[in-house]
Amino acid sequence: MAVKAIVITNSCVGCAFCKLVCPEGAIEVIGKAEIDMQNCADCRKCVRYCPVDAIKVVEG
Amino acid sequence: MRVAVIGSGLGGLLSASILSEKGFEVDVFEKLPFIGGRFTNIEYKGFQLSTGALHMIPHGSRGPLARLLKSVGANVEIVDSKPEGEALYNGERIEIRKKTFPLRSRLKFVKLCLKSKFREVRMSEFEKGLDDFSKRFLKAFLGWSLSITTKEASFSRILPMFNQVVKLGGPGIPVGGCKSVINALSEVLLSNGGKIHKARVKGIKPGKTFSVAAREVKKYDIVISNVGHVETAKLLNNQYVQNLEPSCGIKYSIALKEPFINHTGVLFTLETRRISGMNEVTNADPNLGRGHLLMAHQPVITSNVRYEIAQGLKDIRDILKGYDYEVLAVQCYSDGWPVNRVKAGQDIGFETPYRNLYVVGDGAKGDAIEVEGIALGVENMLKKLEVSI
């Protein structure tokens, strides 16, 4: 199964942990996080570090 | 006696290390890949940013947190601020001392202190007769230390915190940042045989002893929750608490080539849209960044976080005019995590409907600012457990 997308859900609180741990610099946080999937390397560090489990992997 | 501590934030690790020192068998549970919660460092572009709190201890080496760290044998070096505080007003920097404030405003403070012995005094009543400088300083101070506005604050509820500031003085910066405090506490815990499990707690079942379900189900005599009342109630499947209003602040971490503040104290910004103050932590510990690390803070006034951040960034642009800087991160905690954060003055304390189940951390603070309040909350809980420190 290939990864379709990594999505930020509404529970994002804007703490920016994901931006800080992202090795690709693919995340921006202005109030809430946004992932630039073009630059995402699918390491899923953001998923592990999110304190509110707001980042979900959608498999396709 | 077996103790389970849910969450390895400052409140959790402070309780865990002290109890392990007193001979309790302590298991700490942490769901994230690192310990420390909102009180640790996260490295970014060569800077030690913080996960939540600023790299700052509100009353430095003289406060309640420093006292507890010392008593448990946690080795942390705290650099006390010098000067304690400055205000940026009319484009000038003014050192904050008692005499900085006009006599009339100081008298008003004393008068309201007396009044609040008899009835609740709103902050707006205090604000009314103040001169412009004192009024703006009050606003910046509340925004910086408590992330609240003058309008929503109660003078009476915040008076004990003012008194602590007057008695204990200004802040200090831990060498190594927040993480050095967390590391020192976990060292104490581990050296006493305590354990830290990287596992999520799924539920707590009360009874004669508490059953705590993580990877497996284990029984404990005492449970200390560092995840706040709301999440604790969820773990218990008992809605003993509802609708605690979370407080909301925004923190900016800024990299600078040349230092801006140039000392270890707080610079309160009095003529801004949002930013209430800033400190330059690399003046206390140069290892916190390659270059200078400035941390600025603002309360959130409207419900539109994007707009609030835009206002804050405009302030930073104005204040740092002519300086070569880069905003490394904007952290805001709009709602949800940290689940335990409760607006100053709305705290419901450390007790729950269950004996031997307590809440520590941001949602169960004593009457003091930020992490000093967390230390007082832990102290109150230990008193209840009849553990002498």
Side-chain angles (χ1 to χ4, degrees):
Chain A
M1 276 207 296
V3 169
K4 236 190 181 166
I6 293 179
V7 296
I8 314 267
T9 64
N10 277 341
S11 20
C12 173
V13 295
C15 74
F17 276 31
C18 51
K19 172 191 163 105
L20 302 175
V21 299
C22 176
E24 306 299 323
I27 304 181
E28 262 319 311
V29 183
I30 311 163
K32 299 220 184 260
E34 277 160 39
I35 303 182
D36 174 5
M37 285 312 289
Q38 302 267 302
N39 292 322
C40 173
D42 194 26
C43 71
R44 305 197 188 182
K45 263 193 161 179
C46 55
V47 181
R48 287 205 302 138
Y49 270 77
C50 178
V52 290
D53 300 323
I55 308 182
K56 303 275 185 227
V57 182
V58 182
E59 311 265 357
Chain B
M1 294 270 262
R2 296 181 54 97
V3 184
V5 176
I6 305 168
S8 66
L10 179 64
L13 284 182
L14 206 50
S15 316
S17 56
I18 294 170
L19 290 174
S20 72
E21 185 80 6
K22 298 287 171 188
F24 290 76
E25 260 179 76
V26 185
D27 281 335
V28 177
F29 296 92
E30 174 55 58
K31 69 167 186 172
L32 285 174
F34 61 92
I35 59 166
R38 286 190 298 123
F39 199 74
T40 188
N41 304 2
I42 200 162
E43 207 201 304
Y44 187 64
K45 292 189 177 175
F47 289 85
Q48 294 293 325
L49 306 191
S50 60
T51 50
L54 297 140
H55 292 306
M56 201 187 73
I57 299 178
H59 300 310
S61 63
R62 301 161 307 272
L65 179 58
R67 188 172 70 223
L68 279 189
L69 290 173
K70 207 171 162 197
S71 79
V72 76
N75 273 323
V76 181
E77 192 190 329
I78 300 167
V79 179
D80 286 324
S81 302
K82 210 175 162 201
E84 292 180 303
E86 259 186 354
L88 190 59
Y89 182 66
N90 275 339
E92 270 176 64
R93 292 201 192 177
I94 301 163
E95 191 176 339
I96 303 290
R97 299 163 185 275
K98 248 185 219 168
K99 293 207 167 138
T100 313
F101 304 98
L103 183 65
R104 202 165 61 101
S105 294
R106 278 184 279 153
L107 285 175
K108 171 113 197 205
F109 178 73
V110 175
K111 194 173 135 198
L112 287 186
C113 284
L114 289 171
K115 262 193 189 164
S116 77
K117 285 197 172 146
F118 304 100
R119 63 169 174 89
E120 169 143 8
V121 177
R122 298 295 305 167
M123 198 59 86
S124 46
E125 193 178 332
F126 177 44
E127 192 190 19
K128 237 181 258 164
L130 291 184
D131 62 287
D132 186 63
F133 176 83
S134 305
K135 203 186 278 179
R136 285 171 184 270
F137 177 77
L138 176 70
K139 183 179 152 213
F141 177 81
L142 292 174
W144 167 260
S145 53
L146 301 167
S147 298
I148 55 174
T149 61
T150 318
K151 232 184 253 164
E152 55 191 351
S154 155
F155 180 86
S156 306
R157 293 292 296 266
I158 287 165
L159 188 56
M161 298 183 200
F162 272 145
N163 288 337
Q164 290 265 10
V165 177
V166 173
K167 194 174 125 200
L168 300 170
I173 296 167
V175 172
C178 304
K179 193 179 187 173
S180 66
V181 176
I182 291 302
N183 284 351
L185 288 173
S186 75
E187 254 169 53
V188 171
L189 172 70
L190 298 176
S191 71
N192 290 324
K195 292 193 176 69
I196 300 175
H197 307 275
K198 294 277 166 69
R200 173 195 300 272
V201 171
K202 294 171 213 140
I204 311 166
K205 210 168 119 198
K208 242 185 210 162
T209 55
F210 295 93
S211 300
V212 175
R215 271 200 205 99
E216 50 197 79
V217 180
K218 264 191 182 171
K219 289 197 181 297
Y220 293 93
D221 304 293
I222 299 165
V223 174
I224 296 169
S225 167
N226 191 199
V227 298
H229 283 285
V230 176
E231 286 300 308
T232 306
K234 278 187 203 157
L235 290 174
L236 285 157
N237 220 348
N238 167 352
Q239 293 303 323
Y240 71 85
V241 62
Q242 278 159 349
N243 293 334
L244 291 176
E245 201 183 338
S247 86
C248 197
I250 300 173
K251 184 186 71 190
Y252 302 84
S253 300
I254 301 156
L256 278 163
K257 287 226 170 78
E258 300 296 320
F260 169 67
I261 294 186
N262 249 323
H263 58 68
T264 53
V266 181
L267 180 68
F268 293 97
T269 49
L270 268 43
E271 291 167 313
T272 51
R273 302 166 185 87
R274 290 293 187 277
I275 301 287
S276 22
M278 36 181 63
N279 70 351
E280 204 164 66
V281 293
T282 34
N283 294 332
D285 179 4
N287 292 324
L288 289 171
R290 48 163 191 87
H292 289 270
L293 177 59
L294 184 71
M295 298 180 123
H297 181 80
Q298 72 167 84
V300 171
I301 316 277
T302 69
S303 56
N304 183 344
V305 179
R306 278 185 96 101
Y307 174 74
E308 292 296 315
I309 293 173
Q311 296 295 97
L313 288 173
K314 273 187 203 165
D315 282 338
I316 290 169
R317 202 187 52 205
D318 291 349
I319 295 168
L320 295 180
K321 209 176 211 168
Y323 283 81
D324 191 358
Y325 74 93
E326 181 195 351
V327 177
L328 295 169
V330 181
Q331 291 164 282
C332 75
Y333 309 104
S334 53
D335 42 27
W337 201 72
V339 285
N340 49 346
R341 185 157 194 165
V342 184
K343 233 170 217 182
Q346 293 188 3
D347 216 302
I348 62 169
F350 67 95
E351 292 189 88
T352 69
Y354 302 92
R355 201 175 148 255
N356 286 342
L357 193 154
Y358 303 109
V359 175
V360 294
D362 223 347
K365 292 203 286 275
D367 280 331
I369 297 167
E370 300 281 329
V371 291
E372 303 291 12
I374 291 178
L376 287 184
V378 169
E379 258 185 353
N380 292 340
M381 179 204 65
L382 292 169
K383 257 182 226 152
K384 181 82 185 185
L385 284 172
E386 295 178 2
V387 173
S388 60
I389 316 159

